[in-house]
Amino acid sequence: MMGKIPIPINSADQSVIFFSMAVYLAISTSVAIGGLAHVLMPAIPLALCFALAAIVTPTDSVALKSITQSIQVPANVHDILESESLFNDASGIVIFNLAVTAFFTGNFSLTAGLTKFIVSFFLVAF
């Protein structure tokens, strides 16, 4: 199949790459976009800005396939990127849920939010 070249990456390296891309980048991107949206549109509550950011943050696995179909990408890298985009979607759903809950309840605890994120992410993912 065109676009897949095998390169050796062990499963421990894949897990670290996978979770750092899927979780850390989704959270940091959502925070950055949500904060920027709130600065640019201060009339919109911060929680709704984070909900908007959670919607636009996840990458699309179909877009990844269309972009990489005409170029040669190592097989393991392609598999990691495809799996990462699915976990990124799950991260976006959990972040969206937290943001909407914060908006409707009117309060948000960072520790409770992170705990809920971790529990929800691993229940959805595994």
Side-chain angles (χ1 to χ4, degrees):
M1 176 178 220
M2 183 180 201
K4 293 195 175 188
I5 303 167
I7 59 169
I9 299 177
N10 66 33
S11 62
D13 289 342
Q14 285 181 351
S15 296
V16 170
I17 293 168
F18 187 76
F19 284 111
S20 69
M21 288 171 43
V23 178
Y24 302 133
L25 288 177
I27 292 171
S28 61
T29 305
S30 292
V31 168
I33 292 174
L36 179 63
H38 187 64
V39 167
L40 295 174
M41 300 174 286
I44 299 175
L46 185 59
L48 289 183
C49 289
F50 286 133
L52 173 66
I55 292 169
V56 299
T57 294
T59 55
D60 185 12
S61 61
V62 175
L64 173 72
K65 287 180 183 178
S66 68
I67 291 169
T68 60
Q69 73 183 6
S70 62
I71 59 174
Q72 288 190 331
V73 177
N76 293 358
V77 173
H78 188 271
D79 292 342
I80 288 170
L81 290 174
E82 192 172 293
S83 299
E84 179 271 336
S85 68
L86 296 174
F87 273 85
N88 202 340
D89 288 344
S91 298
I93 290 168
V94 173
I95 293 167
F96 178 78
N97 184 15
L98 290 172
V100 170
T101 301
F103 175 72
F104 283 116
T105 62
N107 60 8
F108 179 75
S109 165
L110 183 62
T111 55
L114 287 175
T115 302
K116 185 174 181 177
F117 179 86
I118 291 168
V119 169
S120 297
F121 183 79
F122 285 110
L123 287 177
V124 169
F126 301 104

Coordinates of all heavy atoms in Angstrom, one line a residue, residues 19-99:
F19 N -0.1 9.2 23.9 CA -0.8 10.0 25.0 C -0.3 11.4 25.0 O -1.1 12.3 25.3 CB -0.6 9.3 26.3 CG -1.5 8.1 26.5 CD1 -0.9 6.8 26.5 CD2 -2.8 8.2 26.5 CE1 -1.7 5.7 26.6 CE2 -3.6 7.1 26.6 CZ -3.1 5.8 26.6
S20 N 0.9 11.7 24.7 CA 1.3 13.1 24.8 C 0.6 13.9 23.6 O 0.2 15.0 23.9 CB 2.9 13.2 24.6 OG 3.3 12.9 23.4
M21 N 0.5 13.3 22.5 CA -0.2 14.0 21.4 C -1.7 14.0 21.6 O -2.3 15.1 21.4 CB 0.1 13.3 20.1 CG 1.5 13.5 19.6 SD 2.0 12.5 18.2 CE 0.7 12.5 17.1
A22 N -2.3 13.0 22.1 CA -3.7 12.9 22.2 C -4.3 13.7 23.4 O -5.3 14.4 23.3 CB -4.2 11.4 22.4
V23 N -3.6 13.7 24.5 CA -4.1 14.3 25.7 C -3.5 15.7 26.0 O -4.2 16.7 26.0 CB -3.9 13.4 26.9 CG1 -4.4 14.1 28.2 CG2 -4.6 12.1 26.7
Y24 N -2.2 15.7 26.1 CA -1.6 17.0 26.4 C -1.8 18.1 25.4 O -2.1 19.2 25.7 CB -0.1 16.8 26.6 CG 0.3 15.8 27.7 CD1 1.2 14.8 27.5 CD2 -0.3 15.8 28.9 CE1 1.6 13.9 28.4 CE2 0.0 14.9 29.9 CZ 0.9 13.9 29.6 OH 1.2 13.0 30.6
L25 N -1.7 17.7 24.1 CA -1.9 18.7 23.1 C -3.4 19.1 23.0 O -3.7 20.3 22.7 CB -1.4 18.2 21.7 CG 0.1 18.1 21.6 CD1 0.4 17.5 20.2 CD2 0.7 19.5 21.7
A26 N -4.3 18.2 23.2 CA -5.7 18.5 23.2 C -6.1 19.5 24.3 O -6.8 20.5 24.1 CB -6.6 17.3 23.3
I27 N -5.5 19.3 25.5 CA -5.8 20.1 26.6 C -5.2 21.5 26.4 O -5.8 22.5 26.6 CB -5.3 19.5 28.0 CG1 -6.2 18.3 28.3 CG2 -5.4 20.5 29.1 CD1 -5.6 17.5 29.5
S28 N -3.9 21.5 26.0 CA -3.2 22.8 25.9 C -3.8 23.6 24.7 O -4.0 24.8 24.9 CB -1.7 22.6 25.7 OG -1.5 21.8 24.5
T29 N -4.2 23.0 23.7 CA -4.8 23.7 22.5 C -6.2 24.2 22.9 O -6.5 25.4 22.6 CB -4.9 22.8 21.3 OG1 -3.6 22.3 21.0 CG2 -5.5 23.5 20.1
S30 N -7.0 23.4 23.7 CA -8.3 23.9 24.1 C -8.2 25.1 25.0 O -8.9 26.1 24.9 CB -9.0 22.8 24.8 OG -9.4 21.8 23.9
V31 N -7.2 25.0 25.9 CA -7.0 26.2 26.9 C -6.5 27.4 26.1 O -7.1 28.5 26.3 CB -6.0 25.8 28.0 CG1 -5.5 27.0 28.8 CG2 -6.6 24.7 28.9
A32 N -5.6 27.2 25.2 CA -5.1 28.4 24.4 C -6.2 29.0 23.6 O -6.4 30.2 23.6 CB -3.9 28.0 23.6
I33 N -6.9 28.2 22.8 CA -8.0 28.7 22.0 C -9.1 29.3 22.8 O -9.7 30.3 22.4 CB -8.5 27.6 21.0 CG1 -7.4 27.2 20.0 CG2 -9.8 28.0 20.3 CD1 -7.8 26.0 19.1
G34 N -9.5 28.6 23.9 CA -10.6 29.1 24.7 C -10.2 30.4 25.4 O -11.0 31.4 25.4
G35 N -9.0 30.6 25.8 CA -8.5 31.8 26.4 C -8.5 32.9 25.4 O -8.9 34.1 25.6
L36 N -8.0 32.6 24.2 CA -7.9 33.6 23.1 C -9.3 34.0 22.7 O -9.6 35.2 22.5 CB -7.1 33.1 21.9 CG -7.0 34.0 20.7 CD1 -6.2 35.2 21.1 CD2 -6.4 33.3 19.5
A37 N -10.2 33.1 22.6 CA -11.6 33.4 22.2 C -12.2 34.3 23.2 O -13.0 35.3 22.9 CB -12.4 32.1 22.0
H38 N -12.0 34.1 24.5 CA -12.5 34.9 25.6 C -11.9 36.3 25.5 O -12.6 37.3 25.8 CB -12.3 34.3 26.9 CG -13.0 35.0 28.0 ND1 -14.4 35.1 28.1 CD2 -12.5 35.7 29.1 CE1 -14.7 35.8 29.2 NE2 -13.6 36.2 29.8
V39 N -10.6 36.4 25.2 CA -10.0 37.8 25.1 C -10.6 38.5 23.9 O -10.9 39.7 24.0 CB -8.5 37.6 25.0 CG1 -7.8 38.9 24.6 CG2 -7.9 37.1 26.3
L40 N -10.8 37.8 22.8 CA -11.3 38.5 21.6 C -12.8 38.8 21.7 O -13.3 39.8 21.1 CB -11.1 37.6 20.4 CG -9.6 37.5 20.0 CD1 -9.4 36.5 18.8 CD2 -9.0 38.8 19.7
M41 N -13.6 37.9 22.5 CA -15.0 38.1 22.6 C -15.4 38.0 24.1 O -15.9 37.1 24.6 CB -15.7 37.0 21.9 CG -15.4 37.0 20.4 SD -16.2 35.6 19.5 CE -15.1 34.3 20.0
P42 N -15.1 39.1 24.9 CA -15.3 39.0 26.3 C -16.7 38.9 26.7 O -17.0 38.5 27.9 CB -14.7 40.3 26.8 CG -14.5 41.2 25.6 CD -14.5 40.3 24.5
A43 N -17.7 39.2 25.8 CA -19.1 39.0 26.2 C -19.5 37.5 26.3 O -20.5 37.2 27.0 CB -19.9 39.7 25.1
I44 N -18.7 36.7 25.7 CA -19.0 35.2 25.8 C -18.3 34.7 27.0 O -17.1 34.9 27.3 CB -18.5 34.5 24.5 CG1 -19.2 35.0 23.3 CG2 -18.7 33.0 24.7 CD1 -18.7 34.4 22.0
P45 N -19.1 33.9 27.9 CA -18.5 33.4 29.1 C -17.3 32.5 28.8 O -17.3 31.8 27.8 CB -19.6 32.6 29.7 CG -20.9 33.2 29.2 CD -20.5 33.7 27.8
L46 N -16.4 32.5 29.7 CA -15.1 31.7 29.5 C -15.4 30.2 29.3 O -14.8 29.5 28.5 CB -14.2 31.8 30.7 CG -12.8 31.2 30.7 CD1 -12.1 31.7 29.5 CD2 -12.1 31.4 32.0
A47 N -16.4 29.7 30.1 CA -16.8 28.2 29.9 C -17.2 27.9 28.5 O -16.9 26.9 27.9 CB -17.8 27.8 30.9
L48 N -18.0 28.8 27.9 CA -18.5 28.6 26.5 C -17.4 28.8 25.5 O -17.3 28.1 24.5 CB -19.6 29.5 26.2 CG -21.0 29.2 26.9 CD1 -22.0 30.2 26.4 CD2 -21.4 27.8 26.7
C49 N -16.4 29.6 25.8 CA -15.2 29.7 25.0 C -14.4 28.4 25.0 O -13.9 28.0 23.9 CB -14.3 30.9 25.4 SG -15.0 32.5 25.0
F50 N -14.3 27.8 26.2 CA -13.6 26.5 26.2 C -14.4 25.4 25.5 O -13.9 24.5 24.9 CB -13.4 26.1 27.7 CG -12.3 26.9 28.3 CD1 -12.4 27.4 29.6 CD2 -11.1 27.0 27.7 CE1 -11.4 28.1 30.2 CE2 -10.0 27.8 28.3 CZ -10.2 28.3 29.5
A51 N -15.8 25.5 25.6 CA -16.6 24.5 24.8 C -16.4 24.7 23.3 O -16.2 23.7 22.6 CB -18.1 24.7 25.2
L52 N -16.3 25.9 22.9 CA -16.0 26.2 21.4 C -14.7 25.6 21.1 O -14.5 25.0 20.0 CB -16.1 27.7 21.2 CG -15.7 28.1 19.8 CD1 -16.6 27.6 18.7 CD2 -15.6 29.7 19.7
A53 N -13.7 25.9 21.9 CA -12.3 25.4 21.7 C -12.3 23.8 21.6 O -11.6 23.3 20.8 CB -11.4 25.9 22.7
A54 N -13.1 23.2 22.5 CA -13.1 21.7 22.5 C -13.7 21.2 21.2 O -13.4 20.1 20.7 CB -13.9 21.2 23.7
I55 N -14.6 22.0 20.6 CA -15.2 21.5 19.3 C -14.2 21.6 18.2 O -14.2 20.7 17.3 CB -16.5 22.4 19.0 CG1 -17.6 22.1 20.0 CG2 -17.0 22.1 17.6 CD1 -18.7 23.1 20.0
V56 N -13.4 22.7 18.1 CA -12.5 22.8 17.0 C -11.2 22.2 17.2 O -10.4 22.1 16.2 CB -12.4 24.3 16.6 CG1 -13.7 25.0 16.3 CG2 -11.7 25.1 17.8
T57 N -10.8 21.8 18.4 CA -9.5 21.2 18.6 C -9.2 19.9 18.0 O -8.2 19.7 17.4 CB -9.2 21.2 20.1 OG1 -9.2 22.5 20.6 CG2 -7.9 20.5 20.5
P58 N -10.1 18.9 18.1 CA -9.7 17.5 17.6 C -9.4 17.5 16.2 O -10.1 18.1 15.4 CB -10.9 16.7 18.0 CG -11.6 17.4 19.0 CD -11.4 18.9 18.8
T59 N -8.4 16.7 15.8 CA -8.1 16.4 14.4 C -9.1 15.4 13.8 O -9.6 14.6 14.6 CB -6.7 16.0 14.2 OG1 -6.5 14.8 15.1 CG2 -5.7 17.0 14.7
D60 N -9.2 15.4 12.6 CA -10.1 14.5 11.9 C -9.3 13.3 11.2 O -8.4 13.6 10.5 CB -10.9 15.2 10.8 CG -11.9 14.4 10.2 OD1 -12.2 13.3 10.6 OD2 -12.5 14.9 9.1
S61 N -9.6 12.1 11.5 CA -8.9 11.0 11.0 C -9.1 10.9 9.5 O -8.2 10.4 8.8 CB -9.3 9.7 11.7 OG -10.6 9.4 11.5
V62 N -10.2 11.3 9.0 CA -10.4 11.3 7.5 C -9.5 12.3 6.8 O -9.0 12.0 5.8 CB -11.9 11.5 7.2 CG1 -12.2 11.6 5.7 CG2 -12.8 10.5 7.8
A63 N -9.4 13.4 7.4 CA -8.5 14.4 6.9 C -7.0 13.9 6.9 O -6.3 14.1 5.9 CB -8.6 15.7 7.7
L64 N -6.7 13.2 7.9 CA -5.3 12.7 8.0 C -5.1 11.7 6.9 O -4.1 11.7 6.2 CB -5.1 12.0 9.3 CG -3.8 11.2 9.5 CD1 -2.6 12.1 9.6 CD2 -3.9 10.2 10.6
K65 N -6.1 10.8 6.6 CA -6.0 9.9 5.5 C -5.8 10.5 4.2 O -5.0 10.1 3.3 CB -7.1 8.9 5.5 CG -7.1 7.9 6.6 CD -8.3 7.0 6.6 CE -8.3 6.1 7.8 NZ -9.5 5.2 7.8
S66 N -6.6 11.6 3.9 CA -6.6 12.3 2.6 C -5.3 13.0 2.4 O -4.8 13.1 1.3 CB -7.8 13.2 2.5 OG -7.7 14.3 3.4
I67 N -4.7 13.5 3.5 CA -3.4 14.3 3.4 C -2.3 13.3 3.2 O -1.4 13.6 2.4 CB -3.2 15.1 4.7 CG1 -4.2 16.3 4.8 CG2 -1.8 15.6 4.7 CD1 -4.2 17.0 6.1
T68 N -2.3 12.2 3.8 CA -1.1 11.2 3.8 C -1.2 10.2 2.7 O -0.3 9.4 2.5 CB -0.9 10.6 5.1 OG1 -2.1 9.8 5.5 CG2 -0.6 11.6 6.2
Q69 N -2.3 10.1 1.9 CA -2.5 9.1 0.9 C -1.5 9.2 -0.2 O -1.1 8.2 -0.8 CB -3.9 8.9 0.5 CG -4.4 10.0 -0.4 CD -5.8 9.9 -0.8 OE1 -6.5 9.0 -0.3 NE2 -6.3 10.7 -1.7
S70 N -1.1 10.4 -0.5 CA -0.3 10.6 -1.7 C 1.2 10.8 -1.4 O 2.0 11.0 -2.3 CB -0.7 11.9 -2.5 OG -0.6 13.0 -1.7
I71 N 1.6 10.7 -0.1 CA 3.0 10.8 0.3 C 3.4 9.6 1.1 O 2.5 8.9 1.6 CB 3.3 12.1 1.2 CG1 2.4 12.1 2.4 CG2 3.0 13.3 0.4 CD1 2.7 13.2 3.4
Q72 N 4.7 9.3 1.1 CA 5.2 8.2 1.8 C 5.4 8.5 3.3 O 6.2 9.4 3.6 CB 6.5 7.6 1.2 CG 6.2 6.9 -0.1 CD 7.5 6.2 -0.6 OE1 8.6 6.6 -0.2 NE2 7.3 5.2 -1.3
V73 N 4.7 7.9 4.2 CA 4.7 8.0 5.6 C 5.1 6.7 6.2 O 4.5 5.7 5.8 CB 3.4 8.6 6.2 CG1 3.5 8.7 7.7 CG2 3.0 9.9 5.5
P74 N 6.0 6.6 7.1 CA 6.3 5.4 7.8 C 5.1 4.7 8.4 O 4.2 5.4 8.9 CB 7.3 5.7 8.8 CG 8.0 7.0 8.3 CD 6.9 7.7 7.6
A75 N 4.9 3.4 8.2 CA 3.7 2.7 8.6 C 3.4 3.0 10.1 O 2.2 3.2 10.5 CB 3.9 1.2 8.4
N76 N 4.4 2.9 11.0 CA 4.2 3.1 12.4 C 3.7 4.5 12.7 O 2.9 4.8 13.5 CB 5.4 2.7 13.2 CG 5.7 1.3 13.1 OD1 5.0 0.5 12.5 ND2 6.8 0.9 13.8
V77 N 4.3 5.5 12.0 CA 3.9 6.9 12.2 C 2.5 7.1 11.7 O 1.7 7.8 12.4 CB 4.9 7.8 11.5 CG1 4.4 9.3 11.5 CG2 6.3 7.7 12.0
H78 N 2.2 6.5 10.6 CA 0.8 6.6 10.1 C -0.2 6.0 11.1 O -1.3 6.6 11.4 CB 0.7 6.0 8.7 CG -0.6 6.2 8.1 ND1 -1.7 5.4 8.3 CD2 -1.0 7.2 7.2 CE1 -2.7 5.8 7.6 NE2 -2.4 6.9 6.9
D79 N 0.1 4.9 11.6 CA -0.8 4.2 12.6 C -0.9 5.1 13.9 O -2.0 5.2 14.5 CB -0.3 2.8 13.0 CG -0.4 1.9 11.8 OD1 -1.2 2.2 10.8 OD2 0.3 0.8 11.8
I80 N 0.2 5.6 14.3 CA 0.2 6.5 15.5 C -0.7 7.7 15.3 O -1.5 8.1 16.1 CB 1.6 6.9 16.0 CG1 2.4 5.7 16.5 CG2 1.6 8.0 17.0 CD1 3.8 6.0 16.7
L81 N -0.5 8.4 14.2 CA -1.3 9.6 13.9 C -2.8 9.2 13.7 O -3.6 10.0 14.2 CB -0.8 10.2 12.6 CG 0.6 10.9 12.7 CD1 1.1 11.4 11.3 CD2 0.6 12.0 13.7
E82 N -3.1 8.1 13.1 CA -4.5 7.7 13.0 C -5.1 7.4 14.3 O -6.2 7.9 14.6 CB -4.6 6.5 12.1 CG -6.0 6.3 11.6 CD -6.1 5.2 10.6 OE1 -5.6 5.4 9.4 OE2 -6.6 4.1 10.9
S83 N -4.4 6.7 15.2 CA -4.9 6.4 16.5 C -5.0 7.6 17.4 O -5.9 7.8 18.1 CB -4.0 5.4 17.2 OG -4.0 4.2 16.5
E84 N -4.0 8.5 17.2 CA -4.0 9.7 18.0 C -5.2 10.6 17.7 O -5.8 11.2 18.6 CB -2.7 10.5 17.7 CG -2.6 11.8 18.5 CD -3.1 13.0 17.7 OE1 -3.2 12.9 16.5 OE2 -3.5 14.0 18.4
S85 N -5.6 10.7 16.4 CA -6.7 11.5 16.1 C -8.0 11.0 16.7 O -8.9 11.8 17.1 CB -6.8 11.6 14.6 OG -7.2 10.4 14.0
L86 N -8.1 9.7 16.9 CA -9.3 9.1 17.5 C -9.3 9.4 19.0 O -10.3 9.8 19.6 CB -9.4 7.6 17.3 CG -9.6 7.2 15.8 CD1 -9.5 5.7 15.7 CD2 -10.9 7.8 15.3
F87 N -8.2 9.3 19.7 CA -8.1 9.7 21.1 C -8.2 11.2 21.3 O -8.7 11.6 22.3 CB -6.7 9.2 21.7 CG -6.8 7.8 22.2 CD1 -6.6 6.7 21.4 CD2 -7.1 7.6 23.5 CE1 -6.7 5.4 21.8 CE2 -7.2 6.3 24.0 CZ -7.0 5.2 23.2
N88 N -7.8 11.9 20.3 CA -7.9 13.4 20.4 C -9.4 13.7 20.3 O -9.9 14.7 21.0 CB -7.2 14.0 19.2 CG -6.9 15.5 19.4 OD1 -7.5 16.1 20.3 ND2 -5.9 16.0 18.7
D89 N -10.2 13.0 19.5 CA -11.6 13.2 19.5 C -12.2 12.9 20.9 O -13.1 13.7 21.3 CB -12.3 12.3 18.5 CG -12.0 12.7 17.0 OD1 -11.6 13.9 16.8 OD2 -12.2 11.9 16.1
A90 N -11.8 11.8 21.5 CA -12.3 11.5 22.8 C -11.9 12.6 23.8 O -12.7 13.0 24.7 CB -11.7 10.2 23.3
S91 N -10.7 13.1 23.7 CA -10.3 14.2 24.6 C -11.2 15.4 24.4 O -11.6 16.1 25.4 CB -8.8 14.6 24.4 OG -8.0 13.5 24.6
G92 N -11.5 15.7 23.2 CA -12.3 16.9 22.8 C -13.7 16.7 23.4 O -14.3 17.7 23.9
I93 N -14.3 15.5 23.3 CA -15.6 15.3 23.9 C -15.6 15.5 25.4 O -16.5 16.1 26.0 CB -16.1 13.9 23.5 CG1 -16.4 13.8 22.0 CG2 -17.3 13.5 24.3 CD1 -16.6 12.4 21.5
V94 N -14.6 15.0 26.1 CA -14.5 15.1 27.5 C -14.3 16.6 27.9 O -15.0 17.1 28.9 CB -13.4 14.2 28.1 CG1 -13.2 14.5 29.6 CG2 -13.7 12.8 27.9
I95 N -13.4 17.3 27.2 CA -13.2 18.7 27.5 C -14.5 19.5 27.2 O -14.9 20.4 28.0 CB -12.1 19.3 26.6 CG1 -10.8 18.7 27.1 CG2 -12.0 20.8 26.7 CD1 -9.6 18.9 26.1
F96 N -15.2 19.2 26.2 CA -16.5 19.9 25.9 C -17.5 19.6 27.0 O -18.2 20.5 27.5 CB -17.1 19.3 24.6 CG -18.4 19.9 24.2 CD1 -18.5 21.2 23.7 CD2 -19.6 19.2 24.4 CE1 -19.7 21.7 23.4 CE2 -20.8 19.7 24.1 CZ -20.9 21.0 23.6
N97 N -17.6 18.4 27.5 CA -18.5 18.0 28.6 C -18.2 18.8 29.8 O -19.0 19.3 30.5 CB -18.4 16.5 28.8 CG -19.4 16.1 29.9 OD1 -20.3 16.8 30.2 ND2 -19.2 14.9 30.4
L98 N -16.9 18.9 30.2 CA -16.5 19.7 31.3 C -16.8 21.2 31.2 O -17.3 21.8 32.1 CB -14.9 19.5 31.6 CG -14.5 18.2 32.0 CD1 -13.0 18.1 32.0 CD2 -15.0 17.9 33.4
A99 N -16.6 21.7 30.0 CA -16.9 23.1 29.8 C -18.4 23.4 29.9 O -18.8 24.4 30.5 CB -16.3 23.6 28.4

